Amino acid sequence: MALEHAILVSLAEKTASGYDLARRFDASIGHFWKASHQQIYKVLGRMESDKWVEAHLVEQSGRPDKKVYAITGEGRDELLRWSSTPTPIEPTRSEIAVKVRGLPFGDREAVLSDVRTRREAHVAQLAYYEASAAKHYPDPSAIGEDELGAYLVLRAGFMQEQTGIAWCDEILQAFGADER
Amino acid sequence: MALEHAILVSLAEKTASGYDLARRFDASIGHFWKASHQQIYKVLGRMESDKWVEAHLVEQSGRPDKKVYAITGEGRDELLRWSSTPTPIEPTRSEIAVKVRGLPFGDREAVLSDVRTRREAHVAQLAYYEASAAKHYPDPSAIGEDELGAYLVLRAGFMQEQTGIAWCDEILQAFGADER
DNA sequence: TGTTGCATTGCAACTCGTTGCATAGTACGG
DNA sequence: CCGTACTATGCAACGAGTTGCAATGCAACA
């Protein structure tokens, strides 16, 4: 139940409409917490009744009106409260790990080609993180306190992709399928 | 929707009761796919109507009777079919990443102590994987084809914990909080 | 002019998984 | 003898998230 909090963080940084949030969740924040626009609208509604956020309608010309949400004092309180409660370690859930584990009962070639595809996805994502870091934080030693969180999260993504690539390589090597 | 398939893999290796499966999901397979016993019983029921597994009742003395499930031919077919369909990349969902990202709006000390706790959990899990590898695969060069899947999954866990530790260290270092 | 795509919000139905509860016999430690 | 823990199976209610669908009005492209 942390989508609420992900939204609060996002709104604490900058007010946004549901649509804006949906796009943010497709990009930056979405790298470690995905959400569809349907889900976002639903949760925003609940958060508004909880007084964590408040909306005001912005009329636009040429495009539909939008509701811009801002975090409230209560929302900030909730963020603080939440940040000081221990985080449960969420179990990994990896379908491809199940497939690899069950390789003797599966289609070996298909799974290996799946692994190759996944490797490429990791490489692409890694490149994205790298570019993003180079753009926003060209000088890592000059990162301010307020940017540090975002930077560290980017690092997490980066490291995770590296690990993902390394694991794929081990698999492909183990099955002698790393030549293409 | 891969719990079915995780169960199929488990049953393909060895028949089991729901209770047995629940314990396996607390241990080996559970490292990359968690499931509660309630969930397992529910899914087993569905799988039985789908003819993927079949159960026979085993009467026991001194303890409750149990239903031992075995994979069927159809179950094996399904496993094969599933293994040859592409695996969607499941998005990461990390509550602690949200907290780190939102650190400027949260309780800094609490989050950092949370990170320290998490680091310890990673260390413990890493040790567990290490011990497990040493016990089951003392000689990595002598691993047979049928064990390879299980071994590689263990490797994935190992690498992930390492990455987790490294990330925690970066955070603690960045905030100058790595002394304890 | 027709089609595609963007901006914007939302509902309804469904699936997956969690939490809480229930039952029941045995074994073991205090 | 009492409480706790283990073996064993399951239901009911709920919550989170996904999939599918809908509306509207503008801009750009073919």
Side-chain angles (χ1 to χ4, degrees), chain B residues 165-177:
Chain B
I165 293 170
W167 188 56
C168 288
D169 285 342
E170 274 199 20
I171 296 171
L172 296 173
Q173 214 183 329
F175 285 96

Side-chain angles (χ1 to χ4, degrees), chain B residues 69-147:
Chain B
Y69 289 90
I71 190 169
T72 63
E74 279 180 66
R76 288 186 187 274
D77 290 349
E78 171 56 25
L79 210 45
L80 204 61
R81 191 204 59 74
W82 168 74
S83 81
S84 59
T85 55
T87 315
I89 24 90
E90 52 257 317
T92 325
R93 222 151 226 200
S94 168
E95 190 168 348
I96 200 145
V98 179
K99 278 189 188 165
V100 168
R101 166 73 183 247
L103 246 174
F105 319 106
D107 179 337
R108 178 175 155 153
E109 274 321 305
V111 173
L112 288 179
S113 103
D114 212 4
V115 170
R116 268 181 228 111
T117 306
R118 175 161 298 235
R119 189 189 187 282
E120 275 165 45
H122 282 312
V123 168
Q125 195 61 27
L126 186 69
Y128 168 86
Y129 286 136
E130 209 156 19
S132 199
K135 184 179 170 193
H136 296 292
Y137 316 101
D139 179 8
S141 63
I143 294 170
E145 284 260 323
D146 47 332
E147 294 171 308

Side-chain angles (χ1 to χ4, degrees), chain B residues 1 3 33 36-39 42 46 62-64:
Chain B
M1 216 228 276
L3 174 55
W33 204 279
S36 64
H37 72 100
Q38 291 93 333
Q39 180 71 0
K42 211 191 297 182
R46 192 164 60 226
R63 50 184 63 183

Side-chain angles (χ1 to χ4, degrees), chain A residues 34 87 93 114 155 163, chain B residues 34 87 93 114 163 170:
Chain A
K34 286 269 171 252
T87 315
R93 224 154 223 199
D114 213 3
R155 285 288 305 157
T163 305
Chain B
K34 286 269 170 254
T87 315
R93 222 151 226 200
D114 212 4
T163 305
E170 274 199 20

Side-chain angles (χ1 to χ4, degrees), chain A residues 46-75:
Chain A
R46 191 164 62 224
M47 289 169 79
E48 198 178 356
S49 3
D50 288 347
K51 306 271 170 60
W52 291 359
V53 298
E54 50 190 23
H56 67 271
L57 210 71
V58 174
E59 285 175 43
Q60 300 187 110
S61 56
R63 49 185 63 183
D65 297 350
K66 62 178 174 176
K67 277 186 187 170
V68 173
Y69 289 90
I71 190 168
T72 63
E74 279 180 66

Side-chain angles (χ1 to χ4, degrees), chain A residues 17-174:
Chain A
S17 67
Y19 189 83
D20 294 334
L21 285 171
R23 275 187 310 181
R24 284 189 208 167
F25 276 79
D26 268 352
S28 57
I29 298 190
H31 296 315
F32 49 92
W33 203 280
K34 286 269 171 252
S36 64
H37 72 100
Q38 292 94 332
Q39 179 71 358
I40 288 170
Y41 285 120
K42 211 191 297 182
V43 170
L44 274 175
R46 191 164 62 224
M47 289 169 79
E48 198 178 356
S49 3
D50 288 347
K51 306 271 170 60
W52 291 359
V53 298
E54 50 190 23
H56 67 271
L57 210 71
V58 174
E59 285 175 43
Q60 300 187 110
S61 56
R63 49 185 63 183
D65 297 350
K66 62 178 174 176
K67 277 186 187 170
V68 173
Y69 289 90
I71 190 168
T72 63
E74 279 180 66
R76 286 188 188 273
D77 290 348
E78 170 57 26
L79 252 186
L80 203 61
R81 192 204 58 73
W82 167 74
S83 81
S84 59
T85 55
T87 315
I89 26 88
E90 52 257 316
T92 325
R93 224 154 223 199
S94 168
E95 189 167 349
I96 201 146
V98 179
K99 278 189 188 165
V100 167
R101 166 73 183 249
L103 247 174
F105 318 106
D107 179 335
R108 178 175 156 150
E109 274 321 305
V111 173
L112 289 179
S113 102
D114 213 3
V115 170
R116 267 181 230 111
T117 306
R118 175 162 298 236
R119 188 189 189 282
E120 275 164 46
H122 282 312
V123 168
Q125 195 60 27
L126 186 69
Y128 168 86
Y129 286 135
E130 210 155 19
S132 200
K135 184 179 169 194
H136 296 292
Y137 316 101
D139 180 6
S141 62
I143 294 170
E145 284 260 321
D146 47 331
E147 295 171 309
L148 207 43
Y151 173 72
L152 285 167
V153 165
L154 205 63
R155 285 288 305 157
F158 189 84
M159 292 162 87
Q160 229 171 271
E161 300 304 331
Q162 280 185 321
T163 305
I165 293 170
W167 187 55
C168 289
D169 285 342
E170 273 198 20
I171 297 170
L172 296 173
Q173 214 183 330

